[in-house]
Amino acid sequence: MGRKNISREKIIQSFLSSCFDKSAGGTSLSDVADSLEIKKASLYNHFNSREDMYNETIVFCGREVSTVSFIAEKTFDSITKNNILPVNLFKKLITRYFEFYENEPLLQMYAFLYTEQFYNDDVLEIVNRERERMEDSIKKILDAFVETHKFGEKSEKDITECSICISSQILDKLQTYIVMRKSLVRKNPETGAGSLFSLPTDDFALNRSIKNVEFILKEFFE
């Protein structure tokens, strides 16, 4: 094997790719080294052990998913100018949010975190933090709609409970979407790198999420 320019991030991405295919528990250092076409011993130039690589992968994934925002740049402008209904806005935002996970690295990261939350407290903390961040984003959107006085008064408790319900619907269906996409990719290994972009999108989970959120919003704003 020739000398390669291998970084910690490249190793983590290779580890994630193997976890996506085999699971974290089923991924060995040899799997990672083979995918990078380097010697297994070379990995120790970057990580002290497999456990060290695993823990750094958790940190890396937590940092990356925290950059994904449910709120778009002009979300609040469209609300304050009264030129969009809640149902239509959430449809756009949910679709946009799901499309972020068409990006293969993010899909692999989300799948890794979703699976490992049942085995690792640090991962569970990341997942819970992301759920809280989603709830907070949705609450800010609902607050903005209520402040326009177009839909009448709503208590803080009502807004908070509605935010939790909507967040739960979106994230639960996103998990379904991830599982379906993972299954599709694994059944089509011949597509290779970037396979998500060459495979058809199954919109079942996305459409179900939108429909469920529409129902919650109609109940909330009636």
Side-chain angles (χ1 to χ4, degrees), residues 48-79:
N48 295 325
S49 63
R50 183 190 179 284
E51 182 179 4
D52 184 30
M53 182 188 301
Y54 174 80
N55 290 333
E56 284 298 313
T57 299
I58 292 172
V59 174
F60 177 80
C61 290
R63 183 172 62 247
E64 291 299 309
V65 298
S66 70
T67 65
V68 179
S69 175
F70 182 72
I71 297 174
E73 183 179 353
K74 296 183 179 180
T75 294
F76 295 108
D77 284 343
S78 64
I79 296 173

Side-chain angles (χ1 to χ4, degrees), residues 11 14-15 27-37 43 53:
I11 293 172
S14 178
F15 180 72
T27 294
S28 67
L29 290 178
S30 295
D31 293 324
V32 177
D34 289 346
S35 68
L36 293 169
E37 298 182 340
L43 296 174
M53 182 188 301

